[in-house]
Amino acid sequence: MVPHLITALTGPINELEQRILDSMPAIERWFRLEWMEHTPPFYSSVDIRNAGFKLAPVDTNLFPGGWNNLTPEMLPLAVQAAMAAIEKICPEARNLLIIPENHTRNTFYLANLAQLARIFNMAGLHVRIGSISPEVKKPMRVELPGGEEITIEPVVRTKHRLGLKGFDPCTILLNNDLSAGAPGILEELYEQYLLPPLHAGWSVRRKSRHFKSYEEVAKRFGKLLGIDPWLINPLFSHCGAVDFAEGQGLESLQSHVDGLLAKVRRKYKEYGINEKPFAIVKADNGTYGMGIMTVHDAKELEQLNRKSRNKMAVIKDGQTVSEVIVQEGVRTQERMHEAVAEPVVYMMDRYVVGGFYRVHAERGDEENLNAPGAAFVPLAFAHGGQLPQPGARPGASAPNRFYMYGVVARLAMLAASYELEATDPEAEVYD
């Protein structure tokens, strides 16, 4: 089923879609050459916003949950990609251990774990789920809404290996974004593959570094297609030394917001866009849609009330926000049953395997949709996001639109690979 969407079918998005379709052989060759030089993240998901005049990724997740929102039709793609990824990293792999988030009571998140286990099981591996939470002291069986059940077991650490009682994995898949830092139990696993690596976690990772890498990728891709990279790239700046709780560093933040909005206004003028630009201020190491606010004017930051400051001050696992990224706001023109929607594209290794629309009836087109009350409707990847219809006019074909989303998502994934190379503690150069 193709979701019925009201979307912007005129203007530059159609021109961009046409340019991408016309350039498909060159684009695929370009990606192939990039993947000869760079290693893709093991898995990832990318939030994309289609403003009608530009299409850009606004967030890239290297520990994606939400696999339960992929339809059964998408599973073969995911299984094939999982096989390719495992074969490349550890061809002799037999056992895979999934390490989830420590707070695993959310049934939707648990259904995500069940789906991940299913994908890797169908890829030919024995799969079990082991928690590093000190609260999990014995196997815990949880029944899911569909009647399925999963078992979460306490991990057992020996000298250089991590496993479960009677289960010795050669590969460990992290589905825990390490917001609170990398626990010692995951360090110095010299004899096992840990995917993604520890430096992909939010204790090291910064959104500003990711979007700096993405800016580089967008420039090179723009040159390939002969387009202004701004059409696929949200402008941003990084602001450190902010303390929302104490109201310190807000003048510097105002200056960053002012500067960014001035740049966006110039772009809007260049393209004849009659809309008011806005900025998104978010925690530089944030996740779970926490620590995010929409700003139309830097003066708004002077009037932040205590509640708003507190919401920005602390994110997941009680981490204090001291650095933020100020990002160009990208509206979403997509609607589903009159509710705003944004595509989220899922990838494993270098392959697009599926995705869904995040839909929120109570949020506006300028707001973060990753919030309580969001619903998820699968993207129409059933027939393959890689099978566009070159003859169809832009905007008329769902596969064409989804192919374009897949291209932008892969650009973000490539940026993540640049980012991980730059922060790899074992690499010769540490950025």
Side-chain angles (χ1 to χ4, degrees):
M1 179 199 86
V2 177
H4 178 67
L5 283 167
I6 304 163
T7 184
L9 296 180
T10 56
I13 282 295
N14 277 353
E15 292 168 31
L16 179 63
E17 188 176 304
Q18 192 63 61
R19 188 70 62 94
I20 283 174
L21 290 172
D22 291 345
S23 308
M24 195 172 74
I27 289 170
E28 295 306 323
R29 177 178 181 272
W30 185 82
F31 274 121
R32 281 196 302 273
L33 294 174
E34 286 292 326
W35 297 129
M36 286 174 71
E37 300 291 327
H38 304 281
T39 303
F42 187 77
Y43 58 0
S44 54
S45 69
V46 177
D47 298 356
I48 295 173
R49 304 277 284 212
N50 174 2
F53 53 84
K54 80 180 287 177
L55 179 79
V58 293
D59 213 3
T60 301
N61 189 349
L62 300 185
F63 298 87
W67 289 91
N68 51 307
N69 295 311
L70 272 59
T71 62
E73 291 83 4
M74 297 174 190
L75 278 185
L77 285 174
V79 170
Q80 209 167 4
M83 283 177 164
I86 290 291
E87 194 174 305
K88 198 160 63 178
I89 293 159
C90 180
E92 69 275 15
R94 180 182 294 121
N95 296 337
L96 178 105
L97 176 65
I98 298 175
I99 294 186
E101 292 286 349
N102 285 354
H103 312 292
T104 52
R105 299 290 176 191
N106 183 316
T107 53
F108 294 108
Y109 177 72
L110 295 171
N112 149 73
L113 294 178
Q115 181 84 306
L116 269 177
R118 187 179 298 112
I119 288 168
F120 285 97
N121 188 245
M122 289 165 78
L125 296 166
H126 298 293
V127 185
R128 286 178 47 191
I129 301 168
S131 176
I132 56 173
S133 169
E135 294 168 20
V136 179
K137 293 183 169 60
K138 59 181 183 180
M140 182 175 73
R141 293 173 73 175
V142 187
E143 197 166 313
L144 301 176
E148 191 177 14
E149 66 172 39
I150 62 169
T151 302
I152 298 173
E153 303 171 68
V155 297
V156 177
R157 173 76 195 234
T158 55
K159 193 176 179 187
H160 290 308
R161 294 186 80 80
L162 198 64
L164 305 175
K165 191 177 178 184
F167 185 77
D168 183 26
C170 41
T171 307
I172 297 164
L173 179 65
L174 276 180
N175 199 239
N176 179 323
D177 62 25
L178 308 177
S179 290
I185 196 169
L186 294 177
E187 293 176 343
E188 299 180 0
L189 296 173
Y190 299 130
E191 301 167 5
Q192 290 170 304
Y193 293 95
L194 185 65
L195 307 166
L198 291 180
H199 64 278
W202 283 119
S203 52
V204 173
R205 200 171 172 232
R206 295 293 178 269
K207 292 186 179 187
S208 52
R209 190 184 282 124
H210 172 76
F211 281 100
K212 185 72 187 158
S213 296
Y214 183 80
E215 187 176 60
E216 182 188 334
V217 169
K219 280 178 183 169
R220 293 179 49 233
F221 187 76
K223 195 173 177 183
L224 175 77
L225 259 62
I227 61 165
D228 179 352
W230 178 75
L231 294 172
I232 55 169
N233 179 37
L235 302 176
F236 79 96
S237 69
H238 169 255
C239 179
V242 180
D243 186 334
F244 285 99
E246 298 298 324
Q248 293 174 352
L250 295 185
E251 285 181 10
S252 171
L253 179 55
Q254 279 181 274
S255 170
H256 279 277
V257 170
D258 254 341
L260 183 88
L261 289 175
K263 286 181 186 173
V264 178
R265 273 193 288 273
R266 284 197 291 274
K267 276 294 179 185
Y268 278 21
K269 190 175 179 185
E270 181 186 334
Y271 282 91
I273 296 161
N274 297 316
E275 292 186 12
K276 189 175 181 183
F278 64 101
I280 301 292
V281 177
K282 48 189 172 183
D284 204 18
N285 61 336
T287 180
Y288 273 32
M290 298 170 79
I292 300 178
M293 64 191 292
T294 302
V295 183
H296 293 87
D297 190 312
K299 288 178 184 155
E300 293 170 27
L301 295 166
E302 292 172 9
Q303 286 119 34
L304 279 186
N305 60 30
R306 170 63 65 180
K307 185 181 176 188
S308 299
R309 292 213 315 264
N310 286 346
K311 278 178 77 174
M312 288 298 295
V314 179
I315 52 171
K316 188 184 165 211
D317 289 340
Q319 298 299 298
T320 304
V321 174
S322 59
E323 298 175 75
V324 294
I325 177 173
V326 180
Q327 191 177 59
E328 173 189 353
V330 183
R331 283 176 178 79
T332 177
Q333 289 284 5
E334 313 223 25
R335 300 287 183 278
M336 190 171 290
H337 309 305
E338 298 181 8
V340 291
E342 66 184 5
V344 184
V345 177
Y346 274 61
M347 292 161 290
M348 197 170 287
D349 194 59
R350 58 195 177 98
Y351 305 103
V352 172
V353 298
F356 52 79
Y357 279 98
R358 183 183 286 123
V359 183
H360 207 304
E362 294 163 26
R363 292 276 169 130
D365 63 358
E366 297 178 355
E367 292 182 281
N368 165 44
L369 304 187
N370 187 8
F376 307 96
V377 179
L379 282 171
F381 276 125
H383 305 297
Q386 299 278 34
L387 297 175
Q389 300 166 349
R393 64 184 174 82
S397 160
N400 284 358
R401 179 60 46 94
F402 297 148
Y403 175 73
M404 179 170 67
Y405 291 164
V407 167
V408 170
R410 285 186 286 161
L411 293 174
M413 173 170 56
L414 179 59
S417 75
Y418 285 19
E419 175 197 356
L420 290 177
E421 285 166 17
T423 56
D424 185 350
E426 293 180 15
E428 289 178 24
V429 179
Y430 184 88
D431 186 337

